[in-house]
Amino acid sequence: MKNSKIIYLVHGALIAASYAALTYLASVFGVAYGSIQFRFSEALTILPVLTPAAIPGLTIGCLIANIASPYPADMLFGTLATLIAAIATRALRKITVKGIPVLSPLAPVVFNALIIGAEISLFLPEGITFAAFLYSALTVGAGELAVCYVLGIPLLLALKRKTVGKSLQ
């Protein structure tokens, strides 16, 4: 029993550290914050499919990563979007096509597009407008969609192959 709690904490901590580090790497290329985002770390949002430890891991990792955001509200809204998306990703894990949880990566896409899109447009100098929200939601969502499906699904499949016979759930 004690070992399982330690393993849970270690998994969560590794995910948090990986998420923060990958976000900081994306910020070097200027694609971690703002309406055009391509956070490599978002590929990790598929991990709640494998382990519930990914939920606090992703949430804490996002909070740490958003310390560097030019949008101070990102620490609250980005972290909230990640928490809700991680819970939804976990909940959708059993809806599969040929063993692939096809809807799980959609949760981070939808929640980040809506929440971060609203956050970005809210803090524009001209204030929130539907056009600004739509632009921000679509650009954040498009980057999220690419990362979650193009990087996240292959990551999940690779990890599933490595963990066959080992329980992360």
Side-chain angles (χ1 to χ4, degrees), residues 49 92-104 160:
V49 168
L92 294 168
R93 75 187 183 280
K94 293 183 180 177
I95 301 171
T96 64
V97 173
K98 296 185 180 183
I100 299 172
V102 292
L103 293 181
S104 287
K160 276 182 147 180

Side-chain angles (χ1 to χ4, degrees), residues 1 8 11 15 47 58 62 78 87 107 116 119 150 156:
M1 181 71 130
Y8 181 90
H11 283 167
I15 292 167
L47 295 180
L58 291 167
C62 183
I87 292 168
I116 305 307
E119 174 199 348
V150 175
L156 175 69

Side-chain angles (χ1 to χ4, degrees), residues 39-120:
R39 284 187 177 189
F40 316 124
S41 53
E42 289 296 308
L44 301 178
T45 61
I46 195 69
L47 295 180
V49 168
L50 298 175
T51 176
I55 296 170
L58 291 167
T59 304
I60 293 166
C62 183
L63 178 65
I64 293 167
N66 286 340
I67 290 170
S69 174
Y71 304 97
D74 225 6
M75 287 176 49
L76 172 65
F77 293 114
T79 303
L80 180 64
T82 298
L83 172 61
I84 295 167
I87 292 168
T89 298
R90 180 85 181 153
L92 294 168
R93 75 187 183 280
K94 293 183 180 177
I95 301 171
T96 64
V97 173
K98 296 185 180 183
I100 299 172
V102 292
L103 293 181
S104 287
L106 196 56
V109 174
V110 170
F111 288 110
N112 277 290
L114 294 175
I115 295 171
I116 305 307
E119 174 199 348
I120 291 169

Side-chain angles (χ1 to χ4, degrees), residues 46-47 50 154-164 168:
I46 195 69
L47 295 180
L50 298 175
L155 173 65
L156 175 69
L157 296 175
L159 289 172
K160 276 182 147 180
R161 279 193 295 274
K162 288 284 187 185
T163 58
V164 172
L168 290 177

